[in-house]
Amino acid sequence: MNIMDFNVKKLAADAGTFLSRAVQFTEEKLGQAEKTELDAHLENLLSKAECTKLWTEKIMKQTEVLLQPNPNARIEEFVYEKLDRKAPSRMNNPELLGQYMIDAGNEFGPGTAYGNALVKCGETQKRIGTADRELIQTSAINFLTPLRNFIEGDYKTITKERKLLQNKRLDLDAAKTRLKKAKVAEARAAQLNTSQPEENNIMIWAEEVTKSEQEVRITQSEFDRQAEITRLLLEGISSTHAHHLRCLNDFVEAQMTYYAQCYQYMLDLQKQLGSFPSTFLSNNNQSSSTPVQSVSTPSLLASASASLPSVSNSIVTSGISELKSSSGNRKARVLYDYDAANSSELSLLADEVITVYSIPGMDSDWLMGERGNQKGKVPITYLELLN
């Protein structure tokens, strides 16, 4: 029975506190009650925490989209993570494409140029898929997990303490409002002091003022203590930024490793495909086929890393290098059909022999070609210099 009485009293006290806070909050919104403002330093810390939480969520979600573009796969991974179970292993997009290419190559015949090329491309795609898995795993551990821990851990604690601070402020302002009303009532009773009953009324209000002053002191102390707790938590945001900076560096390093691997894989693949011309011509005489052209990737990456090898240097033979450094002419056999993109270029037919030479200022991937009275720029990757 005593326990029940205690629970009822506690419930009534909690209900009274909740009602008091609700009244104070409503009066503040209506401009009918004063509000204790937080100091500027604490307000700045709160703003910094909210900004950190907002952008951390956006960065985390967009990183997840970058690493896993398929929304259904992201939802599946989320569900398995919440169930604390390992998601079933499936091929990613590069691996799936690679497998299709390998299967197609084997179907067409690995002894044919096209089939052989498909198999080699498929193997490279599967290697890229493996590198993609490593990037996702590394990024999830070193970058996404720390961001998620902040959102689901540290910031939740900050939110909880901030809510407590708001409640303590409402309690303090409600106590101040009651004290103000008690003093007004006491002064009014003193003005109407004309009889004995009124003197008793003055004593009642004086006791109410004393009680309200004591309540203000208590609520002020609790508010100050909660404000200090909240401030200490919020000052930890600077440490969070430092930690996230280290995680960001790890993410950049993982991306750098991934793209360097992909670049090397494709460079190796291009070298392998560059060894196919004679076989290609003997197995496929269609003029519409388009060979792999030299790309300008090295020139784009030159400013980022001087250590990366040049694609054009790996393809251009020493004979072409000598030709470009001299002013002489050479005969060259055309490896593939080529349709000129504009009037400055020369269209080519596979197996024909043309005269080529270099002129000052010409792009390193091109030579000037002549066939009778016709001349124009031709891509060096379509040529084989003759002795």
Side-chain angles (χ1 to χ4, degrees):
M1 188 68 178
N2 291 334
I3 296 178
M4 183 177 295
D5 290 342
F6 173 77
N7 290 336
V8 171
K9 291 179 180 179
K10 185 176 183 302
L11 181 62
D14 291 342
T17 301
F18 175 79
L19 180 61
S20 174
R21 292 170 180 170
V23 171
Q24 177 65 28
F25 181 80
T26 303
E27 290 180 348
E28 288 176 0
K29 290 298 182 181
L30 296 176
Q32 299 175 357
E34 296 181 359
K35 175 182 177 181
T36 300
E37 299 293 341
L38 302 177
D39 64 82
H41 177 60
L42 188 56
E43 287 284 6
N44 288 335
L45 291 176
L46 287 170
S47 177
K48 184 178 181 180
E50 290 179 353
C51 184
T52 301
K53 184 254 186 181
L54 172 66
W55 286 109
T56 299
E57 280 186 331
K58 288 185 176 181
I59 292 172
M60 182 178 69
K61 290 179 180 178
Q62 193 57 39
T63 303
E64 291 174 343
V65 172
L66 173 68
L67 297 176
Q68 177 51 270
N70 188 336
N72 294 330
R74 292 200 303 273
I75 293 174
E76 182 185 52
E77 291 172 359
F78 176 79
V79 171
Y80 276 99
E81 181 181 351
K82 291 302 180 182
L83 295 176
D84 196 21
R85 295 177 58 186
K86 184 178 180 180
S89 179
R90 291 189 177 91
M91 285 187 176
N92 55 28
N93 290 333
E95 289 174 332
L96 193 58
L97 173 61
Q99 189 59 53
Y100 286 164
M101 286 183 169
I102 292 174
D103 293 344
N106 291 329
E107 182 73 19
F108 297 148
T112 64
Y114 184 42
N116 194 358
L118 279 173
V119 171
K120 291 184 181 297
C121 288
E123 291 172 349
T124 299
Q125 290 296 332
K126 297 189 78 169
R127 293 173 70 188
I128 291 176
T130 301
D132 188 62
R133 287 183 182 276
E134 294 174 355
L135 172 65
I136 293 175
Q137 183 178 10
T138 303
S139 301
I141 295 174
N142 296 336
F143 187 60
L144 289 177
T145 298
L147 298 187
R148 188 175 291 107
N149 287 342
F150 167 73
I151 297 297
E152 298 179 356
D154 295 348
Y155 192 79
K156 278 190 175 181
T157 302
I158 290 174
T159 302
K160 177 182 176 182
E161 296 300 330
R162 183 179 180 180
K163 185 177 180 181
L164 286 175
L165 178 63
Q166 171 74 350
N167 289 338
K168 297 300 182 183
R169 186 197 64 75
L170 289 172
D171 292 342
L172 172 61
D173 289 338
K176 288 180 178 179
T177 300
R178 286 192 291 270
L179 175 59
K180 184 178 180 180
K181 291 179 178 179
K183 286 184 176 181
V184 170
E186 181 186 32
R188 186 178 301 167
Q191 292 176 358
L192 299 176
N193 184 16
T194 57
S195 61
Q196 185 68 24
E198 292 296 335
E199 291 180 2
N200 292 335
N201 198 25
I202 292 175
M203 293 178 62
I204 293 174
W205 283 114
E207 291 177 358
E208 185 65 26
V209 168
T210 302
K211 180 181 177 182
S212 297
E213 289 176 343
Q214 177 67 15
E215 185 180 6
V216 168
R217 286 192 292 271
I218 294 173
T219 53
Q220 182 70 59
S221 175
E222 292 178 348
F223 171 77
D224 292 340
R225 184 172 66 253
Q226 185 59 39
E228 180 65 15
I229 293 173
T230 306
R231 182 185 65 80
L232 291 175
L233 283 173
L234 292 172
E235 287 178 345
I237 292 294
S238 297
S239 299
T240 299
H241 284 190
H243 178 51
H244 287 181
L245 174 59
R246 293 192 295 271
C247 297
L248 180 61
N249 286 332
D250 292 339
F251 178 56
V252 171
E253 184 176 350
Q255 282 188 304
M256 181 186 68
T257 301
Y258 168 72
Y259 289 118
Q261 286 178 326
C262 292
Y263 173 80
Q264 189 60 48
Y265 294 157
M266 298 311 295
L267 187 63
D268 294 342
L269 176 61
Q270 190 181 44
K271 290 179 180 179
Q272 295 177 29
L273 295 181
S275 64
F276 285 170
S278 59
T279 307
F280 175 79
L281 290 172
S282 65
N283 285 276
N284 191 343
N285 293 321
Q286 296 181 9
S287 61
S288 61
S289 59
T290 303
V292 178
Q293 299 186 35
S294 175
V295 296
S296 58
T297 303
S299 63
L300 297 175
L301 297 177
S303 60
S305 174
S307 62
L308 290 176
S310 170
V311 174
S312 59
N313 287 341
S314 68
I315 299 176
V316 181
T317 64
S318 59
I320 292 181
S321 299
E322 295 173 0
L323 175 62
K324 295 184 73 67
S325 62
S326 66
S327 58
N329 297 343
R330 290 282 296 273
K331 293 294 185 179
R333 184 172 66 88
V334 178
L335 299 177
Y336 320 101
D337 290 347
Y338 177 73
D339 294 326
N342 52 56
S343 59
S344 67
E345 298 178 6
L346 180 66
S347 296
L348 303 174
L349 294 175
D351 282 336
E352 71 173 325
V353 176
I354 63 174
T355 302
V356 293
Y357 57 91
S358 178
I359 60 176
M362 178 170 284
D363 188 279
S364 61
D365 292 334
W366 297 80
L367 289 172
M368 286 298 296
E370 287 188 0
R371 182 200 307 112
N373 295 329
Q374 298 177 334
K375 67 178 181 177
K377 294 192 302 181
V378 292
I380 58 177
T381 50
Y382 284 66
L383 305 174
E384 178 186 6
L385 290 183
L386 302 177
N387 296 327

